[in-house]
Amino acid sequence: MNILEQVHTGKRPMPPRLMLYGVEGVGKSTFGANAPNPIFIPTEDGLSEIDCASFPLAKKYTDIEAYLSALAIEKHDYQTVVIDSCDWLEQLIWEELCRLSGASSIERVDGGFAKGYIAALGFWRQIVDALDSLRTERHMAVILIAHAKVERFEDPESNAYDRYTPRLHKHAAALLTEWSDAVLFATRRFRTQSEDAGFGRERTIAVGIGESGGERLIRTVGGPSCIAKNRYNLPYEIPLSWDAFVNALNNNSNQETTNLENVNNG
């Protein structure tokens, strides 16, 4: 077969690769637990109140390698792998780097000058490759969960401003953001109001809009307030739930429906 005969045309439905990050307690793990037949790889202790399948808590980087290898090799019917969370996984990567190099901290790996963060990308690429194999060979969807942080952004088109980003080093965040089919920011809807702080002063407080401290939602498109993106033409905001996410996919095109229907059916 010559090279031109290998050219592929048209869409190629594949299980989605999602990164969901957001504020604490908003429901990120619950979102993952409602995906098709999920298996969690926990790096932090927080799944006790969620009915889900989970590996034991990963306490070192080699635990992550073992779990991903088991999903690739052993017989199972899991359809979604959920890493919860990426920011705690990053700590395991840094600890492994320090162990291998004999450094006392990530700042001192490879002689310092932030070289440790560059070295950590090698571990992240191993994880991404393993997740891609699960996606292509075992037809599993991937959900990466992370907490959020507020980071200063030097926008070349305007004055600098703060925005939400995944709580990861910038190199790791850039790699995972580029790799993911959708980066989703989970938050609550709220408004701000002023109140009397006494002695003639006022202070601004945030007040949730909706039940349980504010309606929980996902932002799917990036903007001044947060990093987000999607390759599925999703609406700017959708409710924070797996069913709402699937409905949004189905409402946009049949292609995205096929992406989910293709999960672990091959």
Side-chain angles (χ1 to χ4, degrees):
M1 177 182 294
N2 61 41
I3 294 178
L4 287 179
E5 289 177 332
Q6 301 176 44
V7 172
H8 182 94
T9 60
K11 295 181 178 180
R12 286 164 285 187
M14 292 285 289
R17 301 171 298 189
L18 309 178
M19 183 177 191
L20 177 69
Y21 77 101
V23 297
E24 283 77 2
V26 72
K28 302 181 290 296
S29 299
T30 300
F31 177 92
N34 288 317
N37 202 12
I39 174 75
F40 275 70
I41 297 179
T43 59
E44 61 174 285
D45 189 9
L47 294 176
S48 59
E49 300 301 319
I50 297 177
D51 183 9
C52 63
S54 171
F55 287 106
L57 179 65
K59 297 182 178 178
K60 54 186 182 299
Y61 177 74
T62 51
D63 291 338
I64 303 295
E65 290 182 312
Y67 299 158
L68 291 174
S69 178
L71 289 174
I73 297 172
E74 298 180 15
K75 184 178 180 180
H76 64 81
D77 59 0
Y78 296 115
Q79 297 173 287
T80 306
V81 57
V82 184
I83 295 183
D84 189 3
S85 65
C86 287
D87 31 317
W88 284 64
L89 170 55
E90 186 170 60
Q91 295 297 320
L92 299 182
I93 290 174
W94 291 355
E95 290 173 8
E96 181 69 1
L97 264 172
C98 292
R99 186 186 69 80
L100 293 174
S101 64
S104 59
S105 74
I106 188 66
E107 295 286 350
R108 295 180 180 275
V109 170
D110 289 346
F113 301 101
K115 293 180 181 177
Y117 302 112
I118 301 296
L121 289 178
F123 289 80
W124 281 114
R125 292 191 180 100
Q126 290 177 8
I127 292 171
V128 165
D129 288 346
L131 294 172
D132 274 335
S133 292
L134 294 178
R135 181 177 182 241
T136 57
E137 303 298 330
R138 305 301 296 261
H139 304 285
M140 296 181 72
V142 178
I143 299 177
L144 306 178
I145 290 176
H147 299 92
K149 66 178 179 180
V150 177
E151 188 174 70
R152 194 72 168 168
F153 178 59
E154 300 290 339
D155 191 335
E157 295 185 338
S158 70
N159 295 330
Y161 52 84
D162 293 340
R163 64 177 180 178
Y164 284 108
T165 66
R167 192 183 298 170
L168 296 165
H169 187 270
K170 62 181 180 181
H171 294 326
L175 175 67
L176 296 180
T177 298
E178 181 178 352
W179 175 79
S180 301
D181 296 316
V183 177
L184 310 171
F185 175 59
T187 187
R188 288 185 173 89
R189 196 181 303 282
F190 68 90
R191 60 180 172 80
T192 59
Q193 68 181 39
S194 298
E195 68 175 17
D196 186 4
F199 303 103
R201 296 177 299 172
E202 285 191 343
R203 65 180 179 183
T204 301
I205 61 172
V207 179
I209 301 175
E211 297 180 352
S212 303
E215 176 190 357
R216 303 179 188 208
L217 55 89
I218 294 173
R219 295 212 174 100
T220 69
V221 179
S225 64
C226 66
I227 286 178
K229 73 165 195 180
N230 77 89
R231 296 170 179 153
Y232 302 119
N233 194 30
L234 296 172
Y236 173 67
E237 285 184 357
I238 57 178
L240 175 57
S241 77
W242 179 259
D243 289 344
F245 174 74
V246 172
N247 288 336
L249 289 179
N250 294 342
N251 289 335
N252 280 309
S253 75
N254 291 330
Q255 172 64 32
E256 283 76 17
T257 304
T258 305
N259 285 339
L260 293 171
E261 290 177 343
N262 196 45
V263 171
N264 211 11
N265 289 329

